[in-house]
Amino acid sequence: EYEEKTGRAQRPLSPKQNVRKNLDFEPLSTTALILEDRPANLPAKPAEEAQKHRQQYEEMVVQAKKRELKEAQKRKKQLEERCKLEDSIGNAVLTWNNEILPNWETMCCSRKVRELWWQGIPPSVRGKVWSLAIGNELNITHELYDICLARAKEKWRSLSTGGPEVECEDAGFSAADREASLELIKLDISRTFPSLCIFQQGGPYHDTLHSILGAYTCYRPDVGYVQGMSFIAAVLILNLDTADAFIAFSNLLNKPCQMAFFRVDHGLMLTYFAAFEVFFEENLPKLFAHFKKNNLTPDIYLIDWIFTLYSKSLPLDLACRVWDVFCRDGEEFLFRTALGILKLFEDILTKMDFIHIAQFLTKLPEDLPSEEFFASIAAIQMQSRNKKWAQILAALQKDNREMEKGSPSLKR
Amino acid sequence: QSSDFLFKFLVIGNAGTGKSCLLHQFIEKKFKDDSNHTIGVEFGSKIINVGGKYVKLQIWDTAGQERFRSVTRSYYRGAAGALLVYDITSRETYNALTNWLTDARMLASQNIVIILCGNKKDLDADREVTFLEASRFAQENELMFLETSALTGENVEEAFVQCARKILNKIESGELDPERMGSGIQYGDAALRQLRSPRRAQAQSAQECGC
């Protein structure tokens, strides 16, 4: 600062003006860099010193200008990238709407479409693509949804008027459990994406989420409401109309992996974990050994990821991109994603002990870099000794069945 | 910071009783008012000072829904302590305590020290379970008991600390052997440093007996 307060002696060539004249634009941060003279009541600096100070000052300004330019270029580049991204999304929307969606059956499996799919489906067509990819094997109609919803509403009414507690005790444990699950829906809705503030009491999608989950418990009383479902329904609601969200929800949960988990078929879940571990060891042998050594079993982190399809643990935009490819590739992509996460953080995870790994994986960092994340997933090979996911899983399931047959006492 | 012991703790109880909020309040000293429901299990850890000993708690915060029992049961193994949580404004969550207790005694270590926590103490106007009733239940089942509030923080730290203190007392009286497999207790890094060589052989043989 002291050095800047110099140079009054050379009034004829005021360095301030000199320098400023050469600038084609005013660097923002250099407005604080003003070369001032010594106060008038002090003797002027010797010419040599003033010269030196002027030189230093000019160097500072040049540096600042460089910095400003760099910043400006960076901003420009970011803007260009955003424009490019928006352009490519715009183009992708056109391609999806005009080429792919009208010819879904023939095009959905083509290489070009698969590649475009991997880039992420534009939000405006996402719901449609998900619906088509999930399909409607169960042939659920909008009318069926209305019927299920009406039944659910009836149940809520009889529940709120108090009444049939005795009846429930007669009906035994499962009825009580089912009733408890209706209560639990209410509780969990307010605890689903609380930070978005749209599913909570009074929020715009509170009733929609309530309706879909309630209708599902009437549609599939054998499954009922299981925690984790509210996240899946919520993500669908964000991308589809209510009845279509219900159709996608029911069909999605009907897939083998989801059925195994939402029925909490522990044996089958363990089989999925075992299959996962085959690919874990194949892809990340060092980390796999580290996890084994620390007793870090896959159930500790996979349960949350699989039950909510990553919507609770990943930032929502990334979760939606995982859903995109999950809709394309099926259940194996869920496990591939898990391995992608482990690969992305392999270095730090290898240095952690049990509790830190467990804490880290059950609460992933909020600022996951999306491109690195998907590159990491892409690097995961879902082939183990020439066997694919489905083959490994089927072989493990077969082993299990044979073991159960062989020793019925082991059966739980 | 180094510790003398490491205890595995569970937080169990019905859905919506405030298990995760208790854990959050204990660790962050804050109430989490926008929390998700736990799917599977979440974790916390904290080192506390109990009577001059540093104890690292490794806390497993489990999902509460009945349906998840078969999954969460597998997390019980080798727990040294547990917070068994119910909601004082919900009799249903209180009625479920016996089930939770059976699971914990059967699946964790036999000597597991359990503290019963009647949470949401701040909602006294909506109370459905009296202090006296719960206190009797605790005595009958040899549990410690506190009413807690994850909202205000009342008795939250106390719950964890009292549970840890009782485990330490049991270790000192010889009732609990940290070297027995599945006790849920390990020596911390500080203790391990002091403990090298002479007792090592002993530990080895104790472990073998444990099998």
Side-chain angles (χ1 to χ4, degrees), chain A residues 277-278 280-281 284-293:
Chain A
E277 286 196 299
V278 170
F280 186 0
E281 187 170 18
L284 306 161
K286 250 175 60 192
L287 190 63
F288 180 77
H290 182 65
F291 274 36
K292 278 274 167 204
K293 200 181 81 198

Side-chain angles (χ1 to χ4, degrees), chain A residues 44-246:
Chain A
K45 287 190 243 186
E48 199 182 319
E49 195 187 342
Q51 176 71 30
K52 190 179 122 205
H53 287 167
R54 193 163 56 241
Q55 208 176 337
Q56 283 172 338
Y57 170 77
E58 279 167 15
E59 274 164 22
M60 281 165 76
V61 171
V62 167
Q63 286 303 323
K65 193 181 156 189
K66 255 193 206 155
R67 239 189 349 260
E68 290 293 329
L69 253 167
K70 231 178 170 173
E71 293 271 312
Q73 276 166 348
K74 205 173 126 196
R75 271 198 303 274
K76 202 175 147 202
K77 210 174 145 198
Q78 274 174 346
L79 194 71
E80 275 169 9
E81 263 167 27
R82 236 180 81 191
C83 289
K84 220 169 104 189
L85 188 73
E86 271 167 24
D87 273 357
S88 80
I89 290 175
N91 289 335
V93 172
L94 287 179
T95 316
W96 281 101
N97 271 328
N98 300 340
E99 294 173 38
I100 305 169
L101 290 176
N103 309 298
W104 180 253
E105 293 300 326
T106 50
M107 283 194 78
C108 71
C109 302
S110 75
R111 201 171 153 188
K112 184 189 150 198
V113 174
R114 286 178 66 83
E115 268 166 26
L116 194 62
W117 206 326
W118 175 268
Q119 307 298 321
I121 304 170
S124 62
V125 289
R126 189 165 254 154
K128 267 183 234 159
V129 178
W130 285 0
S131 278
L132 284 166
I134 293 167
N136 188 4
E137 261 190 347
L138 299 166
N139 289 317
I140 300 173
T141 57
H142 287 201
E143 288 71 38
L144 183 60
Y145 168 66
D146 291 336
I147 292 168
C148 292
L149 180 59
R151 261 193 222 166
K153 283 185 171 162
E154 223 168 90
K155 259 194 200 167
W156 291 330
R157 259 196 303 279
S158 75
L159 210 76
S160 62
T161 51
E165 242 178 89
V166 189
E167 203 182 302
C168 264
E169 263 171 51
D170 283 338
F173 180 75
S174 67
D177 187 37
R178 228 172 289 158
E179 192 166 315
S181 90
L182 282 182
E183 281 293 308
L184 192 57
I185 290 175
K186 265 193 236 159
L187 179 69
D188 282 352
I189 285 176
S190 61
R191 305 194 288 172
T192 304
F193 296 122
S195 56
L196 294 183
C197 298
I198 52 177
F199 297 106
Q200 284 56 52
Q201 193 80 48
Y205 290 124
H206 172 271
D207 293 349
T208 315
L209 185 52
H210 197 196
S211 298
I212 288 183
L213 294 173
Y216 187 76
T217 60
C218 290
Y219 174 66
R220 288 299 294 265
D222 57 322
V223 182
Y225 169 75
V226 183
Q227 289 190 319
M229 283 183 181
S230 64
F231 285 92
I232 297 182
V235 173
L236 289 168
I237 287 168
L238 292 175
N239 289 282
L240 287 160
D241 291 334
T242 311
D244 291 325
F246 178 75

